[in-house]
Amino acid sequence: HMTRGADLLVAGDVEGAIRHLERSVEIMGRLPASRAHLGAAYVKAGRIDDAARVLEEALRADPYEPIGVMNYA
């Protein structure tokens, strides 16, 4: 789900990306990369509060995860 969500995000299907990435977070638990991608999708959808929440969770889980750090910045 994470890879498909990331691909959809790049292709411009933000809502499709969010569906896949939310499922990825459910399945993969605290995997920071899933949350980082989901945060980026939320930003593109204008869901800034949701984005901040999941990006902060990603950074807490692994502050050295480059995707999370870049998306949070």
Side-chain angles (χ1 to χ4, degrees):
H1 286 281
M2 182 177 67
T3 301
R4 180 68 178 139
D7 290 344
L8 288 170
L9 187 59
V10 170
D13 182 359
V14 176
E15 292 305 316
I18 288 172
R19 282 192 302 277
H20 279 276
L21 293 166
E22 285 176 339
R23 183 68 180 133
S24 175
V25 168
E26 289 174 14
I27 293 169
M28 302 179 111
R30 306 236 354 123
L31 182 67
S34 290
R35 291 180 186 279
H37 287 302
L38 180 57
Y42 282 154
V43 167
K44 288 193 176 201
R47 295 172 57 179
I48 304 306
D49 290 340
D50 290 328
R53 177 182 47 79
V54 296
L55 290 171
E56 286 173 3
E57 290 170 356
L59 287 173
R60 276 196 302 273
D62 184 354
Y64 301 104
E65 169 61 49
I67 296 170
V69 172
M70 290 185 322
N71 287 340
Y72 193 75

